[in-house]
Amino acid sequence: MDNDVAISRRSVIKGATAVAASGLLPSSLLAQAGNLPKRPIVGSGEHTYEVYHDWLTPPSNLKWGDTHGVTVDRQGRIYIAHTVHPSSVSTDAIAVFDPRGKFIESWGSEFRGGAHGLDLRREGSEEFLYHCDTRRRKVVKTTLRGKTVWERGVPTESGVYASEDRWCPTNVAFAPDGDLFVGDGYGSHYVHRYSKDGEYKGIVIYPGSEAGKVREPHGLWVDTRGRTPKLVVADRGNRRLQAFTLDGKHLGFVTEGMRRPCHVHYNHNLVLVPDLDSVVTILDKEDKVVASLGDGQPSGLRDAPREKYIPGKFIHPHGAAWINKRDIVVVEWVPTGRVTLLKKV
């Protein structure tokens, strides 16, 4: 349903004005609003978005590596996890921006080369970040300023890892009781359960391709919209989403529109799915596809120079998050990083 359409100069200026009014257009772009080229429009109907590629850019001393993770705190600040480009002067792997897209700070040099999954949870009056570091093979809980609360490596108590290199966590999800689920997406493909303090509780889901098993559980989310919460896994290796009870019992699949889903993110009755195969998909409350945004498949552009990128087309969406309950930020797995704003029209 990717409905890229040409738009008039008048609608471009009107769109830029609307974005400016919402506080989402950086001043550098706002100053050019009257001279903007036509911007791509993706989607259709209620799910129509104007595309602002490279909406978030770090300062000159920090250069994006692969942009892997994105999350938002209660104040609307946006956190980006990236691997850091080899040419970067700064080695900080976490960059923080305000709701308008202005850079605030960076930190987390210890995550360089491994910053991958990035999720945030409120715990009482505080908020914490949960990182999955694929280089050091750790799950790390930090404050919003980067102070480590705890970190955990390979769960040897599970009895399924003969060596540390068989374990590589990619993302986490949060249970209503405070526990968290960890997807071993790049290791041996288990999903494990921990307490909020990092105490290991056991295996919840085992590897495989049949119902109730997963292959490359890359991202995951606990859906609390119904009477009974369920764990939804971006079962990327099996090209599907799969739903489970919180103790790991299979509930169902979503295969429509799924190619290689990387993660899931909920916003009331909508589900956001960044897909590594060049598209961002939105599902409704019945898990039906209502929008396929920026479909660039097949792109073949991961290692291409920037000027070869196609406006309005994604290359490899790796993470995505709703901001202000209507707009979307997308991060992509490309060596020089890319953070795109999809501004709802």
Side-chain angles (χ1 to χ4, degrees), residues 139-204:
V139 179
V140 183
K141 178 181 180 179
T142 72
T143 66
L144 298 186
R145 299 300 300 275
K147 180 180 179 181
T148 297
V149 179
W150 57 255
E151 57 182 49
R152 298 291 181 270
V154 57
T156 54
E157 57 267 60
S158 67
V160 297
Y161 295 100
S163 61
E164 182 179 345
D165 63 359
R166 297 297 301 155
W167 151 260
C168 194
T170 49
N171 268 297
V172 309
F174 306 114
D177 65 359
D179 285 357
L180 62 143
F181 300 96
V182 178
D184 178 18
Y186 291 162
S188 299
H189 312 301
Y190 293 89
V191 175
H192 302 270
R193 188 166 185 158
Y194 292 77
S195 76
K196 70 179 180 64
D197 298 317
E199 175 191 356
Y200 184 73
K201 290 195 168 183
I203 296 171
V204 179

Side-chain angles (χ1 to χ4, degrees), residues 22-331:
S22 71
L24 287 172
L25 192 62
S27 57
S28 60
L29 292 180
L30 179 59
Q32 306 169 32
N35 298 309
L36 283 174
K38 292 181 179 180
R39 289 195 176 277
I41 296 289
V42 297
S44 61
E46 294 182 25
H47 308 287
T48 303
Y49 298 85
E50 191 169 11
V51 181
Y52 290 83
H53 291 306
D54 294 305
W55 180 57
L56 300 183
T57 55
S60 59
N61 69 324
L62 178 61
K63 296 185 183 300
W64 291 138
D66 289 296
T67 39
H68 279 155
V70 54
T71 194
V72 184
D73 69 16
R74 73 176 75 182
Q75 295 186 41
R77 292 174 298 204
I78 303 163
Y79 299 76
I80 304 294
H82 71 113
T83 56
V84 186
H85 195 271
S87 67
S88 180
V89 174
S90 171
T91 58
D92 291 345
I94 307 298
V96 188
F97 299 81
D98 74 12
R100 298 184 62 186
K102 180 181 178 181
F103 176 79
I104 299 174
E105 65 177 350
S106 63
W107 45 266
S109 60
E110 66 270 28
F111 296 109
R112 182 178 187 175
H116 192 271
L118 183 66
D119 295 279
L120 179 147
R121 178 166 63 176
R122 297 182 188 180
E123 298 176 12
S125 61
E126 296 184 86
E127 293 179 293
F128 296 93
L129 293 167
Y130 287 79
H131 311 253
C132 285
D133 185 335
T134 56
R135 180 181 66 85
R136 296 185 298 157
R137 301 174 185 269
K138 290 183 176 182
V139 179
V140 183
K141 178 181 180 179
T142 72
T143 66
L144 298 186
R145 299 300 300 275
K147 180 180 179 181
T148 297
V149 179
W150 57 255
E151 57 182 49
R152 298 291 181 270
V154 57
T156 54
E157 57 267 60
S158 67
V160 297
Y161 295 100
S163 61
E164 182 179 345
D165 63 359
R166 297 297 301 155
W167 151 260
C168 194
T170 49
N171 268 297
V172 309
F174 306 114
D177 65 359
D179 285 357
L180 62 143
F181 300 96
V182 178
D184 178 18
Y186 291 162
S188 299
H189 312 301
Y190 293 89
V191 175
H192 302 270
R193 188 166 185 158
Y194 292 77
S195 76
K196 70 179 180 64
D197 298 317
E199 175 191 356
Y200 184 73
K201 290 195 168 183
I203 296 171
V204 179
I205 303 169
Y206 288 77
S209 296
E210 60 268 41
K213 296 185 178 181
V214 295
R215 186 160 60 91
E216 201 175 321
H218 189 273
L220 50 171
W221 193 274
V222 175
D223 179 4
T224 58
R225 296 174 299 172
R227 290 184 178 181
T228 304
K230 59 183 179 181
L231 176 62
V232 179
V233 178
D235 188 3
R236 194 169 80 176
N238 288 319
R239 297 180 177 267
R240 65 198 182 194
L241 301 183
Q242 187 171 180
F244 299 84
T245 64
L246 297 191
D247 58 2
K249 180 181 178 181
H250 169 77
L251 293 174
F253 295 121
V254 177
T255 56
E256 179 190 358
M258 298 298 107
R259 299 172 185 173
R260 286 195 289 167
C262 283
H263 210 350
V264 282
H265 194 261
Y266 283 73
N267 180 18
H268 299 294
N269 288 327
L270 296 177
V271 184
L272 184 63
V273 184
D275 195 300
L276 200 66
D277 279 1
S278 311
V279 69
V280 172
T281 302
I282 299 177
L283 308 175
D284 65 13
K285 63 182 179 180
E286 306 298 332
D287 291 328
K288 301 299 182 183
V289 175
V290 294
S292 297
L293 307 175
D295 191 350
Q297 188 187 46
S299 73
L301 295 175
R302 169 170 160 75
D303 296 310
R306 206 65 158 202
E307 58 269 21
K308 297 292 186 180
Y309 290 7
I310 302 170
K313 300 292 186 182
F314 288 117
I315 298 171
H316 294 302
H318 191 274
W322 302 95
I323 60 172
N324 59 49
K325 298 183 179 180
R326 61 182 276 123
D327 303 324
I328 299 168
V329 173
V330 181
V331 295

